């Protein structure tokens, strides 16, 4: 007969053994989209539609290898897209601002993005988001107005109103004009690649890039090849676009001194007395310890940008009237000149991750 003491000892040993066993791992993904048919959903849109709306826990979607031609709106919180292959898992669409939506109206800059985020705590890892509109072909045979909101702007990713605490790692964003529209909330990009030509990183959000590559693409026949950072930061917001230890590179055909670091954007908005450039927008873009190739315009650095004033006149927002700075720039494009304003070390510290993201620890 087993004594009570032996019974208790055996029970304790069994409990201890059970405690040593690893807990059953939660499924790595809540949904899988795969080209080989072994996924849980046939499309990314279907997987997103099945995500819960409360966002209490992350909803992780595996993006399998392949080109997923979908135009996505992410309006549920805490949704994570994880690629199977950074270069092989591609979300792609080809809408330009001047193209017609299904209802016949133009997409516009605010609607043309391949992926639009309108909810907090979005994450993306190890994939590519692309707008494959034929920008160069449109230069040769224009289909749209050359400027304005209904032209050749073709956004890959937009962080729209409702987005906040967006976090992207090891993601490639590919486009030409207006590739990344970071309009709202706080966002962190780590080890990402952003390619484009005209105004290819722009918007009003509080957005930080760490160890990213910003690649300027070639525009045939254009003396000014493009602009990297074009912020429309509210004047009340202390930081806008911050690039920390990034590399500014180029396609081989992009000439020396042909790309500006950026320009400040004062977007038109509707007010009671008309539509004109928002006087509350005072763009902020800062490059911290970035390496710059020789395509960056050493003498000029930044350029002005036109907007419509309250009286209807077209006026220029000059770089000196915005918040456009550098600190510790390096490389052949890092030329010191009177038009390229540098921060002091103590000023640069106000653009740290902690200063930008108080209350959020990505």
């Amino acid at each position: 007969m087993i004594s009570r003491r032996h019974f208790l000892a055996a029970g304790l040993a069994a409990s201890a053994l059970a405690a040593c066993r690893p807990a059953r791992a939660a499924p790595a993904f809540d949904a899988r989209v795969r080209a080989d048919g072994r996924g849980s959903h046939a499309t990314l849109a279907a997987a997103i539609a099945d995500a819960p709306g409360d966002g209490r826990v992350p909803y992780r979607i595996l993006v399998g290898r392949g080109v997923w031609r979908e135009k996505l709106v992410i309006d549920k919180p805490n949704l994570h897209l994880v690629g199977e292959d950074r270069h092989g898992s591609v979300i792609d669409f080809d809408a330009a601002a001047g193209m017609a939506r299904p209802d016949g109206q133009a997409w516009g800059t605010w609607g043309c993005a391949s992926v639009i985020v309108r909810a907090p705590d979005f994450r993306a890892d190890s994939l590519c988001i692309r707008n494959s509109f034929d920008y160069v072909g449109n230069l040769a045979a224009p289909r749209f107005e050359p400027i304005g909101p209904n032209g050749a702007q073709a956004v890959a990713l937009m962080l729209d109103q409702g987005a906040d605490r967006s976090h992207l790692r090891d993601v490639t964003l590919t486009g030409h004009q207006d590739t990344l529209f970071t309009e709202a909330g706080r966002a962190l990009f780590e080890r990402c690649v952003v390619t484009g030509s005209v105004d290819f990183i722009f918007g009003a959000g509080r957005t930080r890039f760490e160890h990213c590559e910003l690649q300027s693409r070639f525009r045939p026949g254009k003396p000014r090849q493009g602009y990297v950072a074009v912020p429309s930061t509210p004047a009340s917001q202390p930081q806008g676009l911050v690039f920390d230890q990034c590399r500014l590179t180029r396609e081989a055909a992009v000439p020396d001194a042909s790309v500006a670091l950026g320009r400040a954007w004062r977007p038109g908005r509707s007010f009671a007395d008309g539509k004109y450039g928002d006087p509350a927008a005072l763009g902020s873009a800062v490059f911290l310890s970035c390496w710059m190739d020789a395509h960056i315009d050493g003498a000029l650095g930044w350029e002005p940008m036109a907007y419509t004033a309250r009286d209807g006149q077209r006026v220029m927002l000059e770089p000196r009237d915005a918040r456009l700075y550098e600190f510790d720039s390096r490389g052949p494009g890092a030329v010191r000149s009177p038009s390229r304003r540098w921060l002091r070390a103590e000023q640069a510290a106000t653009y740290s991750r902690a200063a930008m993201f108080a209350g959020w620890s990505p």
Side-chain angles (χ1 to χ4, degrees):
M1 180 180 293
I2 300 175
S3 69
R4 176 178 175 80
R5 184 179 65 182
H6 286 97
F7 180 82
L8 291 173
L12 289 171
S15 298
L17 182 61
C20 292
R21 294 193 189 107
R24 179 175 294 177
F29 297 100
D30 301 282
R32 295 172 177 81
V33 181
R34 299 175 61 100
D36 60 10
R38 294 188 293 117
S40 60
H41 297 75
T43 66
L44 289 166
I48 292 168
D50 279 350
D54 54 27
R56 288 181 297 174
V57 296
Y59 187 86
R60 289 166 51 85
I61 300 174
L62 174 69
V63 183
R65 293 181 182 86
V67 177
W68 303 95
R69 192 180 185 280
E70 301 186 54
K71 195 173 188 305
L72 302 175
V73 175
I74 295 174
D75 54 6
K76 295 180 178 181
N78 218 351
L79 192 139
H80 298 186
L81 299 178
V82 182
E84 195 171 34
D85 181 332
R86 175 172 182 166
H87 303 290
S89 299
V90 181
I91 302 170
D92 174 77
F93 208 75
D94 59 354
M99 287 181 173
R101 303 184 310 228
D103 64 3
Q105 299 300 308
W107 281 110
T109 308
W110 267 257
C112 67
S114 302
V115 176
I116 300 176
V117 179
R118 293 178 177 147
D121 299 307
F122 168 72
R123 288 194 61 162
D125 295 84
S126 304
L127 51 79
C128 174
I129 300 173
R130 181 173 71 193
N131 191 313
S132 56
F133 167 68
D134 185 8
Y135 177 86
V136 173
N138 187 73
L139 288 178
R143 300 167 55 189
F144 315 114
E145 293 295 327
I147 60 174
N150 293 330
Q153 299 87 354
V155 179
L157 172 66
M158 180 182 184
L159 304 179
D160 201 358
Q161 298 300 319
D164 190 29
R165 300 184 298 273
S166 303
H167 190 182
L168 292 90
R169 297 186 305 182
D170 301 308
V171 169
T172 298
L173 303 170
T174 299
H176 240 289
Q177 182 171 348
D178 294 5
T179 304
L180 172 57
F181 192 177
T182 172
E183 176 65 0
R186 296 164 290 177
L188 175 63
F189 292 76
E190 295 184 274
R191 303 183 304 276
C192 292
V193 175
V194 188
T195 78
S197 54
V198 178
D199 305 344
F200 67 95
I201 300 174
F202 72 112
R206 188 175 300 184
T207 309
R208 184 176 186 84
F209 301 82
E210 296 181 355
H211 304 284
C212 293
E213 179 181 353
L214 320 174
Q215 185 189 67
S216 292
R217 301 185 67 185
F218 179 59
R219 296 200 302 152
K222 299 293 184 180
R224 174 57 83 202
Q225 284 287 300
Y227 313 87
V228 178
V230 181
S232 56
T233 321
S236 59
Q237 185 174 297
Q239 302 97 2
L241 304 177
V242 175
F243 304 91
D244 186 1
Q245 301 177 76
C246 294
R247 291 178 59 84
L248 279 63
T249 65
R250 56 176 163 173
E251 291 184 342
V254 176
D256 288 354
S258 64
V259 174
L261 287 172
R263 50 188 181 170
W265 176 38
R266 185 161 278 173
R269 305 200 189 281
S270 295
F271 300 92
D273 56 350
K275 183 176 182 179
Y276 46 86
D278 187 355
L282 189 64
S284 173
V286 177
F287 290 88
L288 305 173
S289 301
C290 291
W291 185 90
M292 304 174 182
D293 205 349
H295 66 299
I296 298 300
D297 190 329
L300 190 60
W302 307 90
E303 282 198 1
M305 190 172 186
Y307 68 96
T308 302
R310 187 175 182 181
D311 63 3
Q313 298 295 313
R314 292 290 286 177
V315 296
M316 304 300 290
L317 181 60
E318 298 290 339
R320 64 178 177 272
D321 296 324
R323 296 172 289 171
L324 309 174
Y325 301 106
E326 299 171 69
F327 174 75
D328 188 34
S329 296
R330 306 163 186 182
V335 178
R336 297 296 293 266
S337 74
S339 64
R340 294 176 64 170
R341 296 178 293 175
W342 275 43
L343 299 169
R344 299 188 302 275
E346 62 271 21
Q347 293 173 312
T350 65
Y351 295 93
S352 67
R353 184 194 283 199
M356 290 185 69
F357 298 147
W360 177 42
S361 299

